[in-house]
C-alpha cells in the first residue's frame, strides 16, 4: 500500500511525485510511455523549444549578422532533429534520475481503476491511500478533420517532418500553431496560418496579438484571420483544406492545431466513482479534489489553461493538501509565453478582460526602441504594457512582445504574486543596461510617467 499513486508522469504528475516524496510519502507513479516527462518533455514544450531556439539562429545567420558577412549557411535538418532528440532525452532521463533520487517507484504501463482504492497497471494491482490523476491531454481532432499523420498531421508529427515542406497550412493560430508555423517558415516553407478568430493568438492581449500579426506578416508568414475551416483531409499526396465560402487550399502538409482535449481513455474512471464534465475534464474543487475525497486530479485533464507550469503548481498544491490540509495555486500569476521571435507573453488580465469585468484600470507602455540594451542587441521591435488598478495602482496584468519578453515577464509574475503596485515595480532597482528596464519603465508609465520617453 503506497501513500500516493500518481497516474501520468507529465509535468503535473512527476513534479507532484517529487514533492510528495519530499514530504515523506511513499510514492508510486504509473506511466504508459517508456519515457517519463509527458507531453511537455516528449512531444511538447521541450522539443518545440529546441527547434525554435536553433532555427532562430539559422534564420538570423541567413538574414545576415551585424558586423559580419556570412556565406554558405546550409540547413542540416538531420542534425537539427538529432539535437532536438538529444535535448528530449536529457530531460526525460533527468526525470528518471529524480525519481531514483527521491525513492519513487515507477510502473510502466497503462493504469486503470479497479475500485476507488485499487489501480491495475498490467498484471500488477496497486493500492494507495491517495491517488492523483495526471493523465494530461492529446491533440483535439474535430469531426471535420481527417488526420492521416502524414499529410494532415498533429503537433507531434510537425516536430519531426523528414523534410521541409514546400507549402504548409496551419489550421489554428494559437501558441502551438504559431510556434510550429514559425519553425518551418524559418527553414524555408511557405507557411499560411488559418485562424477562425479575428486575430492571431486570441488568448493574448489584443494590442499585443495585433502587433504580433504585423511582425510575422512582415517576415513573410501567411496569416489569415476570420476564416472558418470546413474540412481538412489528405488527398492525392497533398493536404487539402476547405474554407467556408468554397475556397480550397492545397499544400504538401497541413498541421491541425485547434486545441487539445483532456485524456482519460482506458482509465475506467467510473469504477472509481468518477465521471467527466461536458468538456471531458475531470471535475475538481478548489483543492484539486475530485468528488471521491482521496482522489485528486491536476493539469491538462482538469479545468484551466493547458500549461506545463500550471500542471506542476497544481501537483504541488494537491500533495501539500493531502499532507498538510492546505495547498494553493495563484492562477492569476501564471504566465503564458509564445516562444517565437519576438516572444509574446502575458501574465494576469488582458485589457479586454478588464473591460469585460468593469475593472477601472490605467495603462503604461514602454517600447523596446527606447531601451539602450535593446538597441545594442538590434532588437528594437516590441513593447511592454503594464495594466494597473486605477485607484489602488495594484498591477493587474502585464503583456509584452519583443526579444526575450517571456524572461522579462518572470518578474512581472512575481510582482503579481506579491500583489505589488506599479509604483513598487517602477521604484525597484533594475540593472543597467538590461531588457528588464523596459518593464520598470512601463510600470513607471502606468504610475506617474516613464523616465526615458
Ligand atoms: P501530460 O504532459 O500530457 O502528461 C500526461 C501523462 O500521462 C503522459 O505521459 C501520458 O502518457 C500519461 N498517461 C495518460 N493516461 C495514462 C494511463 N491510463 N496510465 C498511465 N499513464 C497515462 N506548455 C507550456 O507551459 N509551455 C510550452 O512552451 C508548451 N509548449 C507546448 C508545445 C506543444 C507542441 C504541445 C503539444 C504542448 C505544449 N505545452 C506547453 C503544453 C504542455 O505540454 C501541457 O500543458 C503539459 O504537458 C500538461 O502536463 P500534464 O502533466 O497535465 O499532462
Amino acid at each position: 500500500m503506497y501513500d500516493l499513486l500518481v497516474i501520468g508522469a507529465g509535468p503535473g504528475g512527476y513534479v507532484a511525485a517529487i514533492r510528495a516524496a519530499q514530504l515523506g510519502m511513499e510514492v508510486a507513479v504509473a506511466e504508459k510511455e517508456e519515457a517519463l516527462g509527458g507531453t511537455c518533455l516528449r512531444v511538447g514544450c521541450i522539443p518545440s523549444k529546441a527547434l525554435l531556439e536553433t532555427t532562430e539562429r539559422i534564420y538570423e545567420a541567413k538574414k545576415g549578422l551585424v558586423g559580419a558577412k556570412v556565406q554558405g549557411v546550409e540547413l542540416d535538418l538531420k542534425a537539427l532533429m538529432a539535437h532536438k532528440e538529444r535535448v528530449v532525452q536529457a530531460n526525460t532521463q533527468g526525470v528518471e534520475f529524480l525519481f531514483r533520487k527521491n525513492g519513487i517507484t515507477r510502473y510502466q504501463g497503462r493504469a486503470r481503476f479497479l475500485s476507488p482504492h485499487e489501480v491495475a497497471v498490467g498484471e500488477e494491482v496497486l493500492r494507495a491511500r491517495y491517488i492523483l490523476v495526471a493523465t494530461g491531454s492529446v491533440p483535439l481532432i474535430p469531426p471535420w478533420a481527417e488526420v492521416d499523420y502524414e499529410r494532415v498531421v498533429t503537433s507531434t508529427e510537425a516536430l519531426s517532418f523528414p523534410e521541409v515542406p514546400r507549402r504548409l497550412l496551419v489550421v489554428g493560430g494559437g501558441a502551438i500553431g504559431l510556434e510550429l508555423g514559425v519553425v518551418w517558415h524559418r527553414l524555408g516553407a511557405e507557411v499560411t496560418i488559418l485562424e477562425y478568430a479575428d486575430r492571431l493568438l486570441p488568448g493574448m492581449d489584443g494590442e499585443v496579438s495585433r502587433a504580433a500579426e504585423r511582425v510575422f506578416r512582415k517576415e513573410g508568414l501567411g496569416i489569415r484571420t476570420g476564416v472558418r475551416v470546413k474540412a481538412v483531409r489528405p488527398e492525392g499526396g497533398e493536404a487539402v483544406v476547405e474554407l467556408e465560402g468554397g475556397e480550397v487550399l492545397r499544400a504538401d502538409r497541413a498541421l491541425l492545431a485547434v486545441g487539445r482535449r483532456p485524456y482519460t481513455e482506458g482509465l475506467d474512471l467510473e469504477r472509481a466513482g468518477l465521471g467527466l464534465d461536458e468538456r471531458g475534464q475531470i471535475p475538481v474543487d478548489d483543492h484539486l479534489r475530485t468528488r471521491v475525497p482521496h482522489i485528486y486530479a491536476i493539469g491538462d485533464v482538469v479545468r484551466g489553461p493547458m500549461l506545463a507550469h500550471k500542471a506542476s503548481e497544481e501537483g504541488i498544491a494537491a500533495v501539500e493538501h493531502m499532507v498538510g490540509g492546505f495547498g494553493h495555486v495563484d492562477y492569476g500569476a501564471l504566465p503564458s509565453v509564445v516562444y517565437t521571435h519576438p516572444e509574446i507573453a502575458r501574465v494576469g488580465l488582458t485589457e479586454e478582460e478588464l473591460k469585460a469585468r468593469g475593472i477601472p484600470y490605467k495603462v503604461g507602455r514602454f517600447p523596446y526602441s527606447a531601451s539602450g540594451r535593446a538597441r545594442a542587441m538590434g532588437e528594437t521591435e516590441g513593447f511592454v504594457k503594464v495594466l494597473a488598478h486605477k485607484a489602488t495602482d495594484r498591477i493587474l496584468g502585464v503583456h509584452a512582445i519583443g526579444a526575450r519578453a517571456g524572461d522579462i515577464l518572470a518578474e512581472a509574475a512575481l510582482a503579481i504574486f506579491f500583489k505589488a503596485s506599479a509604483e513598487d515595480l517602477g521604484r525597484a532597482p533594475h540593472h543597467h543596461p538590461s531588457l528588464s528596464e523596459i518593464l520598470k519603465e512601463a510600470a513607471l508609465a502606468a504610475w506617474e510617467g516613464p523616465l526615458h520617453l
Side-chain angles (χ1 to χ4, degrees), residues 6-14 29-49 52 107-113 119-121 133-139 155-156 159 175-177 179-180 260 263-268 298-302 305-312 314 335-339:
V6 179
I7 305 176
Y14 90 72
V29 176
E31 167 56 57
K32 65 179 172 54
E33 302 293 330
E34 199 180 320
L36 299 172
T39 303
C40 179
L41 272 63
R42 288 187 296 105
V43 289
C45 332
I46 297 299
S48 60
K49 266 78 260 180
L52 280 158
Y107 291 87
Q108 194 190 331
R110 183 180 285 278
R112 60 192 168 84
F113 281 98
V119 171
V121 183
V133 182
T135 48
S137 63
V138 288
S155 58
T156 304
L159 290 165
I176 294 177
E179 285 187 356
L180 291 174
R260 296 178 60 81
Y263 182 75
T264 52
E265 260 98 294
L267 259 182
D268 290 345
I298 56 161
D300 282 8
V301 82
V302 304
M306 288 189 172
L307 292 168
H309 43 288
K310 176 258 192 187
S312 301
E314 287 185 336
S336 171
V337 180
V338 182
Y339 295 83

Side-chain angles (χ1 to χ4, degrees), residues 4 16-17 19-20 23 25 132 314-324:
L4 172 65
R19 183 68 186 128
L23 293 172
M25 290 176 116
L132 179 65
E314 287 185 336
I316 293 165
V319 298
E320 289 184 349
H321 189 262
M322 292 169 198
V323 173

